[in-house]
């Protein structure tokens, strides 16, 4: 299996088939735990995800509850899915890759830009209770906050706002993860990153985007390319 697939996180190509995610128990219900395990084995481990904590989290978080009901049978398939407002929930592999690249530790403080469905925030919250997430679209922010609370992720703080500005009130952050692509790394996010902190961020315009691991070392930003990706553009608030 190709370790570096084309990761469609914005231009959502949905492949419909009769068997998509249709692993069922004898009761006729979809066996979501089985689908999660298949996802981990076939999409994550097979492509080189090795962090045992990340793999355990991906096995645990109920991804199907973060997508519209009509797409739940496809929630563990190898592509993104629509979540409304022209946005998507990222491909499972890209969620795992970005999370692994952060090397997040318990008790560290992490900021997410682009809450979307809330799935990435839930994944982060399984590793640390100090999760802060910003979504620019009010409807998504409201829905994600409600969903996270209902699923027990009550420590996650959700804000509707401009991700370019970060969340100065709670800065500095040990880690920042950005799930939308600016043309360049926003200065406010660099300023709010602790010295020695890490940021995972897609940068560039479609179709020439690169996912970067950014480290702040004594005030200097060092970036390392990970893989080419496609993300929705990051937009400024009004």
């Amino acid at each position: 299996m190709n370790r570096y697939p084309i990761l469609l996180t914005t231009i959502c190509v949905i492949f419909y088939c009769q068997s998509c995610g249709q692993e069922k128990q004898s009761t006729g219900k979809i066996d979501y735990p089985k689908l999660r395990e298949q996802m981990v084995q076939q999409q994550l481990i097979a492509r080189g995800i090795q962090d045992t904590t990340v793999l355990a989290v991906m096995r645990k978080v109920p991804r199907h509850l973060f997508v519209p009901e009509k797409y739940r049978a496809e929630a563990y398939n190898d592509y993104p899915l629509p979540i409304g407002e022209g946005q998507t929930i990222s491909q499972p592999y890209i969620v795992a890759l970005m999370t692994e690249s952060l090397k997040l530790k318990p008790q560290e403080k992490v900021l997410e830009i682009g809450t979307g469905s809330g799935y990435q925030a839930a994944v982060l919250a399984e590793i640390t209770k100090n999760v802060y997430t910003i979504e620019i679209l009010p409807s998504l922010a409201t829905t994600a906050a409600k969903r996270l609370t209902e699923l027990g992720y009550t420590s996650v703080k959700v804000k509707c706002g401009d991700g370019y500005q970060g969340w100065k009130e709670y800065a500095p952050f040990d880690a920042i993860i950005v799930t939308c692509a600016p043309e360049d790394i926003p200065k406010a996010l660099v300023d709010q990153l602790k010295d020695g902190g890490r940021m995972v961020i897609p940068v560039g315009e479609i179709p020439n985007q690169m996912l970067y691991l950014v480290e702040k070392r004594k005030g200097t930003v060092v970036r390392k390319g990970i893989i080419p990706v496609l993300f929705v553009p990051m937009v400024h608030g009004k």
Side-chain angles (χ1 to χ4, degrees), residues 20 47 85 87 104 118 122 135 166 174 187 198 209 223:
C20 284
R47 289 185 180 135
E85 299 283 358
Q87 305 299 302
L104 193 63
E135 172 56 54
D174 299 284
K187 183 179 183 300
R198 299 88 58 205
Q209 295 177 354
R223 67 168 79 180

Side-chain angles (χ1 to χ4, degrees), residues 162-208:
D162 184 354
Y164 272 95
Q165 305 305 316
W167 203 336
K168 191 174 182 179
E169 178 184 356
Y170 293 103
F173 298 96
D174 299 284
I176 297 176
I177 184 169
V178 183
T179 61
C180 43
E183 294 181 10
D184 202 357
I185 301 171
K187 183 179 183 300
L189 298 186
V190 174
D191 291 344
Q192 292 175 28
L193 189 64
K194 279 186 180 179
D195 194 61
R198 299 88 58 205
M199 183 191 313
V200 177
I201 179 170
V203 177
E205 297 181 352
I206 295 173
N208 300 309

Side-chain angles (χ1 to χ4, degrees), residues 38-50:
Q38 290 176 347
M39 173 192 74
V40 168
Q41 294 293 333
Q42 298 170 11
Q43 300 175 38
L44 309 187
I45 294 175
R47 289 185 180 135
I49 301 298
Q50 299 178 352

Side-chain angles (χ1 to χ4, degrees), residues 58 61 66 89-90 94-99 102 112 114-115 117-126 131 133 148 177 179:
M58 296 296 287
V61 179
F66 290 85
I89 183 173
S90 294
I94 198 68
V95 173
L97 178 64
M98 293 177 75
T99 305
L102 273 188
E112 178 194 22
T115 312
S117 69
Y119 177 66
Q120 176 72 77
V123 168
L124 297 171
E126 290 288 346
V131 179
T133 181
L148 288 164
I177 184 169
T179 61

Side-chain angles (χ1 to χ4, degrees), residues 62 76 111 115 155 164 172 222:
Y76 300 99
L111 173 66
T115 312
S155 65
Y164 272 95
V222 179

